[in-house]
Amino acid sequence: NGQCGPSYIRTPDGSCGLTGWEDLADVGGGFPDAHLIQVISATVGGTPSGACCLADESCQSLTADGCNAAGGTYQGDGTGCAGGTCDILPEACAPGAGSCQEPNGTPGCDDEDCCAGVCDINPACCALQWDALCVQIASKLAECAPGPPTCDVAGDPTLTQSLSQEILAVNGIACVGGGITTPNFFARSYDLSNKIPGQTYTVHCVEVGVEVNTGSELVGTISIYRDTDGGAPTNVDTDLELLGSTDVTIPPLEEGQIILGTFDPPIVVMANWVMVVELFVPQHIDGGIWPGSNDTGETAPSYLMAADCGLTDYISFDDLGFPGVHWVQNVIGTVEGGDPCPWDLNGSGDVGILDLLALLAAWGPNPGDPADFDGDGIVGILDLLTLLANWGACP
């Protein structure tokens, strides 16, 4: 973006042929566009000074006391007036400006804290335009780090079995071989007939906890299944019917983080189905990934399947001997209509003997019948047990 004097380079041992200071514009083939960014904070008469923004939007270099006496706003010791500190920054650093994460062709960017931090280093980013150099500076500043991604849907409701979102260090479990984690499947099971009875649930996003990734970036998969026989999940060859999947990137992590997976299009789970939500993490190449968990409590089990450790079916963490490992998982979705008391087959407001007789009358293959609570096309023992479990007044 230009400079008002040369930038120089030298090497202490004379390597690269640099036996003394050389102008960057003349080194090798020449680097005329390499302008070293350097800011010197100085004092005047032993008292620190800085930019002072006055009422007329002009800028003067004054001491803090001198700025206050002039009725101005002191910008801090060592700050300067270059780049229009007092009039350009507030206008350029505004929500309506372009992105801070890419060259946007306009002065400033839309994240005020990030924009101000970058323009303190390079005022041209706010005075002229936000270019590739501004983006490079932004990539090094903590105030410019993008926040975690969020789901476009608020969640009505969000389903979770985790009593806490905290992720504890050295708490997760995974199958490991040869110093790296092997293929691991982590899952939770949700009985929608208990969570949101009679209502279709549309899954937009899933959040999964990851405790640590000690190696390279890895791509995992979040999948949504229908458990065709209810109860605890077994495996995809036995009772899990795939409804949809989405890939998620797991970056190197030194501490726990919630990873978001988004389904586009969303996954529709029919009323009263048992839904299983799974995170598959493939074999690592140079490290390990462990699920983010805590010991606060959970309302239903967490499950693990890992063939390399002899776990060819899902088994709960409790049954593996880890009762204090509760995987953090949240399912973000929306409900669509439905009957909050589908077991009340005669509409009396109570689940009772007449509803039981109606179910028995529909017994057997009967796709679409109201008594087929689990939607498997058969009115059978599971539907009977569901009706009995909800006996009495409707909620």
Side-chain angles (χ1 to χ4, degrees):
N1 287 323
Q3 58 184 2
C4 55
S7 302
Y8 296 95
I9 186 173
R10 73 179 178 93
T11 55
D13 59 359
S15 59
C16 297
L18 301 174
T19 57
W21 287 107
E22 297 286 345
D23 189 333
L24 282 174
D26 299 328
V27 173
F31 298 92
D33 294 326
H35 307 148
L36 174 67
I37 298 172
Q38 186 183 84
V39 178
I40 301 174
S41 298
T43 60
V44 178
T47 303
S49 65
C52 176
C53 296
L54 301 174
D56 62 359
E57 296 189 358
S58 65
C59 181
Q60 293 184 21
S61 182
L62 299 172
T63 63
D65 290 342
C67 184
N68 291 334
T73 302
Y74 191 60
Q75 303 300 303
D77 295 344
T79 56
C81 291
T85 299
C86 298
D87 55 0
I88 295 178
L89 279 178
E91 180 180 350
C93 300
S99 170
C100 297
Q101 308 303 321
E102 59 186 9
N104 61 42
T106 64
C109 67
D110 57 3
D111 185 321
E112 294 183 3
D113 291 339
C114 176
C115 180
V118 170
C119 291
D120 278 346
I121 297 172
N122 185 3
C125 294
C126 284
L128 300 176
Q129 70 172 7
W130 195 269
D131 59 15
L133 178 58
C134 306
V135 175
Q136 183 179 9
I137 297 171
S139 70
K140 307 298 182 182
L141 300 182
E143 57 264 45
C144 295
T150 58
C151 189
D152 291 337
V153 174
D156 183 22
T158 293
L159 303 182
T160 186
Q161 297 166 345
S162 306
L163 298 185
S164 170
Q165 297 295 300
E166 181 182 11
I167 297 178
L168 298 180
V170 197
N171 194 68
I173 63 171
C175 182
V176 179
I180 60 176
T181 48
T182 67
N184 282 273
F185 297 81
F186 307 97
R188 282 190 175 276
S189 176
Y190 301 83
D191 186 346
L192 299 188
S193 68
N194 292 327
K195 293 284 188 178
I196 43 172
Q199 297 177 295
T200 298
Y201 191 60
T202 301
V203 180
H204 295 266
C205 306
V206 171
E207 296 175 330
V208 294
V210 176
E211 178 185 308
V212 67
N213 178 3
T214 63
S216 305
E217 177 179 285
L218 206 64
V219 176
T221 303
I222 297 176
S223 298
I224 308 292
Y225 296 94
R226 175 196 176 194
D227 190 331
T228 57
D229 61 7
T234 304
N235 59 52
V236 71
D237 295 322
T238 303
D239 62 350
L240 299 183
E241 175 187 328
L242 181 65
L243 302 179
S245 299
T246 188
D247 289 340
V248 290
T249 299
I250 305 174
L253 295 172
E254 295 182 357
E255 58 183 22
Q257 182 172 313
I258 300 294
I259 303 294
L260 179 73
T262 300
F263 291 89
D264 186 15
I267 304 300
V268 177
V269 185
M270 301 306 294
N272 304 318
W273 280 5
V274 174
M275 174 181 69
V276 174
V277 182
E278 169 193 88
L279 170 65
F280 167 62
V281 180
Q283 180 161 322
H284 219 306
I285 57 174
D286 56 9
I289 292 177
W290 281 263
S293 63
N294 57 65
D295 57 4
T296 304
E298 58 187 354
T299 60
S302 308
Y303 295 93
L304 172 65
M305 181 169 61
D308 288 77
C309 286
L311 307 177
T312 55
D313 295 337
Y314 271 116
I315 184 170
S316 72
F317 288 7
D318 282 4
D319 290 340
L320 286 170
F322 298 92
V325 180
H326 309 146
W327 182 37
V328 176
Q329 184 194 87
N330 309 301
V331 185
I332 303 171
T334 55
V335 295
E336 298 178 10
D339 180 359
C341 191
W343 320 283
D344 178 18
L345 297 174
N346 68 346
S348 66
D350 292 281
V351 179
I353 189 65
L354 294 179
D355 304 299
L356 174 60
L357 294 174
L359 182 146
L360 295 176
W363 196 268
N366 207 340
D369 191 271
D372 180 19
F373 303 128
D374 61 4
D376 65 356
I378 301 172
V379 178
I381 188 64
L382 293 179
D383 303 301
L384 173 61
L385 294 174
T386 299
L387 185 144
L388 295 175
N390 292 277
W391 196 269
C394 286

